[in-house]
Amino acid sequence: MNRSPQDVADSHLAAVITQDVVAMAADYADDAVLERLGQTYRGHAAIADYFATVPERLGTARVVFDAVDVDGDVVTFSWHIEGATQPASGTDVCQVVDGAIVHQVVQLDASDF
């Protein structure tokens, strides 16, 4: 099934909000690249391993999406963390090809969660 960039964005938002790490990783192509904090995760397995750490790192805090913009094959998410001891916010820019995220860059405004 070839999902539109909007479909991928909607799926990813729902997965992050519910902290469904399997669904988070399912939005990525097998050869996708995720860049954040100077680290690069290459391939679906490495990205899935990264997402497996998210619920523990968030604890009782939650991700709130402030804006989502879909422009062609580029999806931009602006977000912040609510309930964290240290404020965290950022912008993720994703390229979607053939119904999956192929490249994502995470830009943090301040500290990480």
Side-chain angles (χ1 to χ4, degrees):
M1 178 165 100
N2 193 8
R3 302 177 302 162
S4 72
Q6 184 67 60
D7 292 339
V8 174
D10 293 344
S11 172
H12 202 63
L13 285 172
V16 172
I17 289 168
T18 61
Q19 295 189 22
D20 183 339
V21 297
V22 172
M24 286 182 214
D27 291 321
Y28 291 80
D30 289 341
D31 59 349
V33 175
L34 169 62
E35 299 177 56
R36 69 181 317 275
L37 290 177
Q39 294 184 305
T40 301
Y41 303 90
R42 295 184 188 281
H44 187 269
I47 292 169
D49 287 347
Y50 162 73
F51 280 123
T53 70
V54 169
E56 182 179 338
R57 292 185 310 118
L58 275 175
T60 60
R62 67 185 186 100
V63 178
V64 175
F65 289 95
D66 302 311
V68 178
D69 180 58
V70 178
D71 184 9
D73 67 349
V74 176
V75 178
T76 304
F77 301 99
S78 297
W79 53 270
H80 71 277
I81 305 293
E82 277 189 358
T85 56
Q86 188 167 324
S89 60
T91 303
D92 294 14
V93 179
C94 306
Q95 182 181 16
V96 177
V97 175
D98 294 332
I101 299 169
V102 296
H103 190 218
Q104 179 176 353
V105 177
V106 179
Q107 301 168 352
L108 298 175
D109 296 328
S111 62
D112 196 9
F113 61 93

